[in-house]
Amino acid sequence: MTATRAFLALGSNLGDRAAHLRTAVAGIPDVIAVSAVYETGAVGGDHGDPPYLNAVVELSTELGPRDLLEVCRRLEAEARRVRTRRWGPRTLDVDVLLVGDAVIDEPDLQVPHPRMWERAFVLIPLRDLAPDLVPSPPPPDGVALTDIRLR
């Protein structure tokens, strides 16, 4: 099997956010690059939710979309993510963005991620890694971004 270029989005707004991201990146197979880390206000949740740290990870992998979804779920479980409400605070959120040219539309897996093109907190770190996929500035969504690199 040939390795495929894939991208995962990571976010955290509870606990030691940077540590959650570092631990997640360490647990992802086939990582070839990690974007800068950006801090953003919560989008889609309550206005009082804590800010997020967000990043995108690039892979060169033989894992398929379903296998990558299982990696995402494992990482979230290891970070003790609790799902109390949609778009609620979380220790870790890991989403499959793109897996080569795969197009999947299933109840629990959609690739490309259906809302990625609407979210600056995904597009800006994705552009860090793949300007060929996001060549022009993403549309503003009212989210101010501050570059905070992982250490």
Side-chain angles (χ1 to χ4, degrees):
M1 183 174 215
T2 304
T4 300
R5 188 180 190 198
F7 297 89
L8 304 180
L10 291 81
S12 176
N13 76 332
L14 290 178
D16 188 338
R17 302 171 304 160
H20 289 307
L21 296 185
R22 281 192 301 270
T23 300
V25 169
I28 298 170
D30 308 322
V31 172
I32 59 171
V34 180
S35 74
V37 175
Y38 295 88
E39 185 169 37
T40 67
V43 174
D46 291 341
H47 294 294
D49 285 346
Y52 278 83
L53 290 185
N54 297 285
V56 170
V57 176
E58 182 176 1
L59 315 175
S60 179
T61 186
E62 293 183 3
L63 296 175
R66 176 82 35 205
D67 298 319
L68 290 172
L69 178 62
E70 291 307 315
V71 168
C72 295
R73 289 178 174 166
R74 174 183 53 80
L75 293 168
E76 290 174 349
E78 289 172 358
R80 294 187 169 92
R81 176 177 175 175
V82 177
R83 296 174 191 268
T84 57
R85 63 181 159 85
R86 186 172 189 185
W87 295 317
R90 59 204 68 173
T91 55
L92 184 65
D93 184 40
V94 186
D95 292 323
V96 178
L97 298 177
L98 297 163
V99 183
D101 294 329
V103 176
I104 298 171
D105 188 7
E106 297 175 2
D108 66 334
L109 179 62
Q110 294 176 302
V111 177
H113 190 286
R115 289 171 299 284
M116 66 182 274
W117 301 110
E118 303 165 6
R119 296 178 170 169
F121 67 85
V122 171
L123 294 177
I124 290 172
L126 178 61
R127 188 176 62 213
D128 287 350
L129 302 177
D132 56 310
L133 299 177
V134 188
S136 60
D141 63 3
V143 176
L145 298 175
T146 303
D147 187 13
I148 304 173
R149 300 245 179 217
L150 277 177
R151 304 195 195 293

